Amino acid sequence: MQWKFSNVEPAAFQVSDNLRNDPEIVLAAVNQNGRALQHASGKLQNDREIVVAAVNQDRRALDYASAELRNGPEIVRKSPTFPKNTIRKS
């Protein structure tokens, strides 16, 4: 099944917790618009596969990832949308 989402704030995410918690639907949405991650459940905002897909589509999606994933370099390292100098060693 292929899902199509055309805008940043799909109305379906705003009304249904079932959709916000469905990894297949959320993955399809973030593959088309990374910032759809903002409407995903907290559990899916902490899912590496979904977050990587979202950030690959739009690096601004990182703002909606869980703190754990957002603060780790792994997601940034996997994303072709981030410049190489984004990652700094401590």
Side-chain angles (χ1 to χ4, degrees):
M1 177 182 290
Q2 187 172 17
W3 299 90
K4 289 279 187 186
F5 297 96
S6 60
N7 53 7
V8 173
E9 301 184 71
F13 282 107
Q14 296 173 3
V15 291
S16 173
D17 283 339
N18 289 337
L19 294 178
R20 293 169 34 99
N21 287 304
D22 187 313
E24 181 182 336
I25 291 175
V26 172
L27 185 59
V30 300
N31 276 323
Q32 292 184 28
N33 186 324
R35 291 190 299 161
L37 184 63
Q38 68 186 300
H39 301 291
S41 68
K43 178 182 175 185
L44 296 182
Q45 289 174 341
N46 194 43
D47 182 289
R48 288 189 196 293
E49 178 185 7
I50 289 173
V51 172
V52 167
V55 172
N56 284 344
Q57 203 287 322
D58 184 336
R59 67 182 179 189
R60 295 173 294 181
L62 191 60
D63 292 341
Y64 307 109
S66 69
E68 177 185 342
L69 295 180
R70 187 175 50 243
N71 294 327
E74 178 184 346
I75 301 299
V76 174
R77 226 184 269 125
K78 287 185 175 183
S79 174
T81 62
F82 276 91
K84 299 289 184 220
N85 64 355
T86 301
I87 304 167
R88 294 191 182 119
K89 294 182 180 179
S90 301

